Amino acid sequence: MHKAKWWRKDKGEKILCELCPRNCLIDIDNTGYCKVRKNINGTLYSLVYGYPCAINIDPIEKKPLFHFLPGSQVFSIGTIGCNLGCDFCQNHDISKECKFPKSLEYISPQDLVEMAIQHESKSIAFTYNEPTIYSEYILDVCKQAKKVGLKTIMVTNGYINKDVIKELYVNIDAANIDLKGFSQDFYENYCSGNLNNVLENIIEIKKQNTFIELTNLIIPGLNDSEETINNLVDWIISYLGKDIPLHLSAFYPAYKMLDKTRTPKKTLNKARKIAINKGLNFVFEGNVMTNEYDNTYCPNCNKLLIERQIYTVVYNCLKTPVCSCGQTINIIL
Ligand code: SF4
């Protein structure tokens, strides 16, 4: 077990965890909401430091990141636990069941980076469950990764305290931040979270020079209204600009939300059209088996720059982040 950062003693032996906006007050021998940070004799420990339960080599497009090292492989890890409570979680087997697989072996930050190099990955992604809850391990992995030139990636819900952002994200090269919906009611009722926290954090993460892409999962009847999509796109353009890649992702029934149907293709298409008409330059559709809206086109001359087929780059004419017409493209190659 690894001693945690970002906490202080509060009322006797209780501990206040200051890692995320939940600010759990944790009794002795108890864990916080995320189930992986435990008060042992008045000290907070991370139960998952060095114990990823999921390790895969993925195409980076699967994160999804379409404009960061396109066509590369990313060494991806996740642990158990989460600091949100989304009824529709697609990874609830690790985020919510929270049973430590007995066979897990400790992997030091150095060994993890060594494994990524052996698999010829250009980057390491902290993904699958919410990585914020094991930020101590991420920081130490990042230190080792920087030594050998590996990039680092967060796939995150953005639910983290501001002070931690400054410390953590200066070490993170890219992030896909999952906006679960675009109303406070939605966050409260279906995620047990707070939209404003996440929005403020996205702006703060961008200030750390982390390359950002956004995902928005669209659930029929819950967060798919024209008004909601309009508000989402207006906010993105106002605070992040027109060049942030946006992934509109289809919902499928999962976890506690088995009564809803899959997101119809026409709903995704409509949302994408709104985003494009308002001026967003790179809008993709995800979680659907079609290649129709997977490609990157130049926002100036409409030239095809990158063609993708189900998470695979099949054509990329960019050698630098500039189109042949002179337009700069928001992409890290
Ligand atoms: S990281 Fe976990 S323990 Fe800490 S405040 Fe958030 S949910 Fe609670």
Side-chain angles (χ1 to χ4, degrees):
M1 257 179 302
H2 190 92
K3 194 173 164 189
K5 286 165 66 83
W6 305 294
W7 60 274
R8 64 179 161 85
K9 283 248 173 99
D10 193 286
K11 294 179 193 149
E13 292 300 294
K14 286 190 184 197
I15 281 174
L16 182 76
C17 178
E18 297 172 313
L19 176 50
C20 91
R22 248 173 230 294
N23 294 317
C24 297
L25 195 56
I26 308 171
D27 266 323
I28 214 145
D29 288 335
N30 283 353
T31 56
Y33 180 91
C34 60
K35 300 278 202 298
V36 300
R37 302 172 73 76
K38 188 170 184 180
N39 178 347
I40 300 174
N41 296 329
T43 299
L44 191 66
Y45 288 89
S46 165
L47 303 180
V48 290
Y49 184 108
Y51 290 98
C53 65
I55 300 181
N56 291 297
I57 319 296
D58 290 329
I60 201 159
E61 284 71 22
K62 214 171 172 181
K63 296 301 92 189
L65 283 172
F66 277 15
H67 280 201
F68 186 80
L69 306 179
S72 67
Q73 298 289 311
V74 53
F75 190 81
S76 304
I77 69 158
T79 70
I80 60 166
C82 187
N83 60 349
L84 281 186
C86 302
D87 288 352
F88 44 85
C89 183
Q90 293 173 356
N91 285 334
H92 61 94
D93 52 334
I94 58 170
S95 70
K96 289 295 161 196
E97 305 307 332
C98 291
K99 289 195 185 95
F100 284 89
K102 287 196 180 106
S103 56
L104 283 189
E105 278 182 26
Y106 175 73
I107 305 175
S108 72
Q110 295 92 320
D111 287 348
L112 194 81
V113 167
E114 197 53 47
M115 286 165 77
I117 292 168
Q118 276 168 11
H119 285 92
E120 297 177 356
S121 301
K122 286 191 173 176
S123 55
I124 297 182
F126 308 103
T127 176
Y128 305 131
N129 70 323
E130 175 49 43
T132 297
I133 61 172
Y134 61 94
S135 289
E136 294 86 357
Y137 189 52
I138 293 173
L139 268 183
D140 289 348
V141 171
C142 285
K143 274 182 211 150
Q144 299 300 323
K146 296 296 155 199
K147 287 183 193 167
V148 293
L150 274 184
K151 303 291 184 198
T152 52
I153 294 166
M154 293 280 280
V155 181
T156 178
N157 60 29
Y159 207 52
I160 180 170
N161 277 338
K162 280 217 182 49
D163 287 347
V164 186
I165 290 179
K166 292 193 180 101
E167 211 174 332
L168 183 65
Y169 277 85
V170 287
N171 300 288
I172 299 293
D173 296 294
N176 183 301
I177 306 173
D178 194 0
L179 260 172
K180 311 285 181 185
F182 207 75
S183 75
Q184 186 54 28
D185 279 355
F186 183 87
Y187 262 80
E188 277 173 19
N189 294 333
Y190 299 105
C191 308
S192 187
N194 183 304
L195 173 64
N196 282 333
N197 279 125
V198 176
L199 296 183
E200 286 171 11
N201 289 345
I202 293 172
I203 294 167
E204 195 61 39
I205 290 169
K206 190 158 183 273
K207 282 187 199 158
Q208 313 306 315
N209 281 331
T210 301
F211 182 86
I212 290 179
E213 301 196 17
L214 295 179
T215 293
N216 179 227
L217 181 76
I218 296 188
I219 306 177
L222 291 186
N223 63 359
D224 63 343
S225 74
E226 214 168 310
E227 187 191 358
T228 303
I229 304 298
N230 272 313
N231 291 343
L232 165 75
V233 176
D234 286 344
W235 183 87
I236 294 173
I237 291 174
S238 298
Y239 290 95
L240 306 172
K242 293 181 172 181
D243 287 333
I244 293 284
L246 172 65
H247 301 263
L248 298 166
S249 191
F251 160 87
Y252 61 82
Y255 193 36
K256 296 180 184 169
M257 204 173 274
L258 299 171
D259 55 328
K260 295 272 170 213
T261 54
R262 274 174 172 265
T263 312
K265 185 96 181 69
K266 65 174 190 303
T267 305
L268 284 189
N269 290 350
K270 192 174 158 197
R272 182 176 178 275
K273 213 167 173 184
I274 292 172
I276 297 276
N277 287 343
K278 278 183 169 281
L280 272 187
N281 284 325
F282 307 110
V283 187
F284 308 102
E285 295 183 11
N287 255 356
V288 279
M289 291 311 256
T290 167
N291 303 320
E292 210 179 340
Y293 298 121
D294 279 357
N295 299 337
T296 296
Y297 296 90
C298 173
N300 181 47
C301 69
N302 209 31
K303 179 182 173 181
L304 173 66
L305 302 175
I306 300 178
E307 183 182 350
R308 303 175 184 88
Q309 283 177 11
I310 314 173
Y311 304 127
T312 304
V313 170
V314 294
Y315 170 78
N316 179 359
C317 72
L318 287 174
K319 301 277 179 277
T320 66
V322 183
C323 176
S324 54
C325 73
Q327 173 73 36
T328 299
I329 309 296
N330 181 32
I331 192 164
I332 309 284
L333 296 165

